[in-house]
Amino acid sequence: MLGVSAAAAMAAGTGLIFVSNEKSHEVVVLDKDYQIVKRIETSRRPRDMHFNADRTLLYVACGDDDVIDIIDVDTLEVVDSIPTGPSPEVFAFSPDESQIFVSNEEDSRLEIIDAATRTSIADIPTGAEPEGVLVMPDGKTAYVTSEVADMVHVVDVATGTVTKNILVGTRPRRFILTPDGSELWVSCELSSEIYVIDTATNEIKGDSLIFVPPGFREEDVTPVGMAITKDGSKVLLSLGRANHIAIIDAASREVLKYVLVGRRAWSVALSSDESLAFVANGLSDDITVVDMASMSALQSIPVGRVPHSVVIDD
Amino acid sequence: MRGLKAILASVLLIGAVAAPVQAAGNLASNGTRLPDLMINSADLTFSETSFELETGKYYRFRIVHDGGEELAIMAPELFRNSWINQVVINDLEVKPFGLYSVEFDDEGTIDIWFVPIRPGEYKFWAAGYEDRGLAGKFVVN
């Protein structure tokens, strides 16, 4: 697609850890020993990141320059940029990677970009300040949150229309989908809640979930990022200003452990063998490495100003 | 001649009296600078949580945000009971008829120049953060 794929194909599985820093306009690269090996200058305000399927390329949404930068994982250079609508924040690929679904925060749109031609092929109105984006594995339905409308919009991809609005808690942010595709979890930052949506009916399933670490007040909890294990048994939830992540038994919804991390725990990612979790801490400018076996923090590593997301090439 | 002098003197006198009256009626001048409202988004604190104001006085209310969170500053009852002369956002002026809130998507400074017109106690807060420490009040006497 970009002329770099062939050369970069060997790069997959490098073990490198990539962190986007919103305020220092860079993606920081750490090796397996958590040593910084490179700071890759990007377009302004890099936020959400995703690899392509073979992990040769890393896509980075850069909110203040209205582009998705593309980093070659082998050379660790920005090799291309895809223009988007204003203020791209979070994005997702279609299952075949032919399309990119991106929330344009400033324009209140879910934009669908054809990855090959780099052209916008759909521009779907949403509530104000859309953020979280998730495309279902069948590619037929997409979900997007609106931070201001407190809604999850259900989008029919074929027609490019919103077919349903689901009212959730205050300032909904991100999604995870259970591996069987049956449940969509939505973090609601300001009401401190997690909503679970039944994807068969697009109705809210049960009561909202609230996780408050000992010694904190409910209003300290501002959940944002989530991750789920491949077997769907555990959910990792960043609790924002409560400075912890919650490791949750997905079936019972019970907390297995609260793990103290950095300040304003924001995004969380699992290594492919699920032995480690990495948490981006937006206020302490570091990431925390969490050992999943003991469910405890191993160490924190300073990375730069306002880390937003972490991805691991392992 | 005496008659003309008397008329001229009267005109001058009227002019002398009228000018200060006009100036006194202009509330939107020589505004009082209130202490800046500094938002610390890391600690979720306002530098000021109470302002004492008087009706009929002209004020500059400056809000300075570090940009760590997207925040909307709300003071709808104060604004409803004030005359808003201008809102200055990073040195760009807006002359509104009314105001509900101002919102920071990034770091910056917003000045609201206004005259309170009705006494009362009016709350201000950051939407969604009012129970997290970002709240205060204006007391207008």
Side-chain angles (χ1 to χ4, degrees):
Chain A
M1 182 171 69
L2 296 164
V4 294
S5 306
M10 294 182 297
T14 56
L16 296 174
I17 301 154
F18 297 79
V19 185
S20 54
N21 289 333
E22 269 192 80
K23 296 284 184 184
S24 43
H25 316 301
E26 62 188 356
V27 169
V28 175
V29 187
L30 300 94
D31 64 17
K32 292 173 184 170
D33 300 320
Y34 314 135
Q35 300 300 308
I36 292 174
V37 295
K38 186 153 186 187
R39 293 182 180 273
I40 305 170
E41 187 181 343
T42 63
S43 300
R44 289 178 302 152
R45 205 171 185 188
R47 298 193 275 193
D48 194 24
M49 298 187 289
H50 296 283
F51 289 110
N52 60 348
D54 62 8
R55 293 176 179 258
T56 54
L57 301 171
L58 178 64
Y59 291 64
V60 187
C62 298
D64 284 355
D65 277 335
D66 306 339
V67 293
I68 295 175
D69 277 359
I70 302 174
I71 292 171
D72 181 336
V73 176
D74 185 35
T75 62
L76 301 181
E77 302 281 351
V78 174
V79 292
D80 214 335
S81 290
I82 300 175
T84 69
S87 197
E89 177 145 8
V90 173
F91 66 100
F93 289 108
S94 60
D96 63 1
E97 288 190 13
S98 65
Q99 296 172 340
I100 302 169
F101 293 65
V102 56
S103 56
N104 292 329
E105 187 178 13
E106 202 173 303
D107 250 10
S108 303
R109 293 282 195 278
L110 175 67
E111 182 182 20
I112 305 178
I113 296 169
D114 182 287
T117 63
R118 278 77 175 308
T119 52
S120 192
I121 55 175
D123 211 15
I124 302 156
T126 65
E129 299 188 15
E131 173 151 336
V133 179
L134 185 134
V135 182
M136 290 296 279
D138 65 6
K140 293 179 180 172
T141 304
Y143 294 89
V144 56
T145 59
S146 163
E147 286 180 35
V148 173
D150 298 339
M151 285 176 179
V152 171
H153 305 294
V154 185
V155 176
D156 179 71
V157 173
T159 60
T161 54
V162 172
T163 57
K164 186 170 183 177
N165 296 316
I166 305 167
L167 197 59
V168 292
T170 312
R171 195 181 282 182
R173 286 279 197 179
R174 307 284 174 80
F175 297 114
I176 52 163
L177 183 69
T178 53
D180 64 5
S182 67
E183 289 183 354
L184 187 67
W185 292 38
V186 188
S187 55
C188 298
E189 185 183 14
L190 289 187
S191 58
S192 313
E193 299 168 289
I194 303 299
Y195 278 70
V196 179
I197 293 170
D198 181 336
T199 56
T201 61
N202 286 328
E203 300 286 344
I204 292 166
K205 187 174 175 180
D207 295 332
S208 65
L209 311 174
I210 296 177
F211 303 99
V212 184
F216 284 80
R217 302 169 303 165
E218 189 175 314
E219 54 263 35
D220 295 326
V221 175
T222 53
V224 178
M226 292 178 284
I228 189 165
T229 55
K230 289 169 194 159
D231 65 1
S233 64
K234 293 190 187 79
V235 171
L236 284 72
L237 171 64
S238 67
L239 300 179
R241 290 180 176 274
N243 303 338
H244 283 71
I245 61 165
I247 302 176
I248 301 158
D249 181 292
S252 69
R253 323 301 205 208
E254 295 295 322
V255 173
L256 300 170
K257 187 86 179 282
Y258 289 109
V259 182
L260 180 64
V261 291
R263 296 183 69 199
R264 203 189 73 176
W266 196 246
S267 294
V268 56
L270 277 163
S271 61
S272 63
D273 65 2
E274 300 181 346
S275 63
L276 298 172
F278 297 86
V279 185
N281 306 305
L283 279 178
S284 47
D285 291 342
D286 55 15
I287 60 169
T288 303
V289 186
V290 176
D291 175 58
M292 287 297 289
S294 62
M295 291 190 282
S296 58
L298 295 177
Q299 69 180 98
S300 289
I301 304 139
V303 288
R305 289 192 63 208
V306 190
H308 183 283
S309 290
V310 185
V311 293
I312 311 118
D313 174 35
D314 63 345
Chain B
M1 279 302 282
R2 277 190 66 194
L4 182 57
K5 280 183 180 174
I7 290 166
L8 283 171
S10 301
V11 169
L12 290 171
L13 185 64
I14 289 164
V17 171
V21 169
Q22 268 188 334
N26 180 12
L27 297 177
S29 66
N30 193 25
T32 299
R33 269 76 168 163
L34 296 169
D36 292 355
L37 180 69
M38 312 284 290
I39 305 171
N40 182 329
S41 61
D43 298 335
L44 288 184
T45 55
F46 283 148
S47 59
E48 308 288 331
T49 55
S50 184
F51 293 94
E52 291 259 345
L53 311 178
E54 292 175 31
T55 55
K57 281 188 71 174
Y58 188 41
Y59 293 101
R60 186 195 73 178
F61 174 41
R62 168 166 287 182
I63 312 168
V64 182
H65 183 32
D66 59 19
E69 294 279 354
E70 291 181 22
L71 291 176
I73 303 300
M74 320 284 292
E77 288 304 309
L78 174 76
F79 299 147
R80 174 71 183 84
N81 290 292
S82 299
W83 174 70
I84 313 288
N85 183 38
Q86 63 178 357
V87 178
V88 184
I89 304 161
N90 293 337
D91 293 327
L92 303 175
E93 297 178 1
V94 180
K95 312 285 187 187
F97 278 118
L99 189 62
Y100 180 69
S101 71
V102 294
E103 184 167 341
F104 293 85
D105 279 355
D106 216 330
E107 62 189 303
T109 300
I110 298 178
D111 295 341
I112 301 166
W113 295 81
F114 69 104
V115 179
I117 57 174
R118 188 183 296 170
E121 192 169 301
Y122 307 113
K123 293 176 181 170
F124 66 92
W125 68 92
Y129 292 88
E130 54 268 45
D131 297 325
R132 297 178 159 100
L134 294 183
K137 67 181 177 184
F138 289 94
V139 179
V140 180
N141 298 304

